[in-house]
Amino acid sequence: KSKQRWSGRFAGSIDPRALEFTASVSFDKQLYYYDIIGSLAHARMLARIKILTRAELKKIEKAFRSILKDVAQGRVEMKEELEDVHRNIESLLIKRAGRAGGKVHTARSRNDQVALDFRLYCRDRLNELHDSVASLEKVFLRLARDPSDVMMPGYTHLQRAQPVLFSHWLLAYVEMLERDRGRLLD
């Protein structure tokens, strides 16, 4: 069993319920790709400023490529006792790249790493959301072309107001969604 990060601070072992409560790997494992590409970029920077040698960087790059492939193909089990995806990836890196893998955290805090991973993850998810909103707008535009002149009550301040065409109501939502898409791009 892997040594837990608390093992040097307490005489007894941690209650399994506490481990289950604090472990995030069950949901943050989806950050593995971003964790690896962010760590790889950081390792390349460390090599550029001569903290890592070229040989160490090559080991790290090879290890990260193999980890990325193995995780993507489901050949890696994320261990709950390692608490999160970051420690799981770090553990795999050190196993595959040796001492060089342990140097990757030089000049970077875990908080910096998590912030980058999450930002990259959100950027990709926002791009997907942007595309979904654009698809919804197209559906609304297609429905608004219906020539049947269906009427419905318009609302102002949550009260019924003048009658409006259903197509106009849809077009109002297209405008709102278009504004939202712009915000997603921002």
Side-chain angles (χ1 to χ4, degrees):
K1 189 171 180 176
S2 299
K3 206 171 185 186
Q4 295 171 347
R5 68 183 174 112
W6 307 278
S7 61
R9 296 187 185 132
F10 301 103
S13 62
I14 189 162
D15 187 305
R17 293 173 296 178
L19 177 61
E20 183 182 344
F21 180 74
T22 60
S24 62
V25 75
S26 65
F27 56 88
D28 70 10
K29 63 185 172 188
Q30 58 191 312
L31 297 176
Y32 80 90
Y33 173 78
Y34 307 100
D35 192 71
I36 291 171
I37 63 169
S39 294
L40 185 54
H42 187 75
R44 289 175 177 156
M45 178 277 301
L46 292 173
R48 225 178 8 258
I49 63 171
K50 310 279 190 246
I51 289 175
L52 292 174
T53 66
R54 280 197 171 289
E56 288 173 324
L57 179 60
K58 283 187 189 279
K59 277 185 185 179
I60 289 166
E61 288 175 332
K62 182 179 178 186
F64 272 139
R65 280 193 301 272
S66 72
I67 294 167
L68 190 59
K69 183 178 175 184
D70 288 348
V71 174
Q73 293 178 350
R75 293 193 301 249
V76 170
E77 179 189 344
M78 295 287 171
K79 297 176 182 174
E80 192 172 273
E81 64 267 15
L82 291 177
E83 186 186 357
D84 59 28
V85 68
H86 319 291
R87 292 218 31 205
N88 272 274
I89 298 296
E90 181 181 26
S91 174
L92 289 167
L93 177 64
I94 291 169
K95 281 181 188 165
R96 296 181 188 194
R99 285 184 40 152
K103 292 182 174 183
V104 173
H105 268 291
T106 304
R108 178 176 66 161
S109 72
R110 179 72 73 204
N111 286 346
D112 290 340
Q113 181 180 4
V114 172
L116 173 69
D117 295 356
F118 195 61
R119 181 179 173 96
L120 293 175
Y121 171 83
C122 286
R123 184 189 63 187
D124 282 355
R125 296 299 78 76
L126 285 172
N127 287 336
E128 291 172 11
L129 181 58
H130 172 273
D131 294 346
S132 294
V133 171
S135 295
L136 180 60
E137 283 181 82
K138 287 177 186 173
V139 170
F140 282 8
L141 286 169
R142 190 176 66 245
L143 289 172
R145 287 190 186 102
D146 182 358
S148 63
D149 290 338
V150 173
M151 299 286 285
M152 64 177 285
Y155 285 82
T156 183
H157 307 292
L158 303 177
Q159 293 182 15
R160 284 191 179 138
Q162 69 184 38
V164 296
L165 293 174
F166 179 65
S167 58
H168 290 175
W169 182 80
L170 286 171
L171 292 173
Y173 275 92
V174 169
E175 288 299 319
M176 290 182 253
L177 291 169
E178 186 65 21
R179 185 179 57 230
D180 292 343
R181 268 191 334 123
R183 290 178 179 145
L184 289 172
L185 289 175
D186 291 344

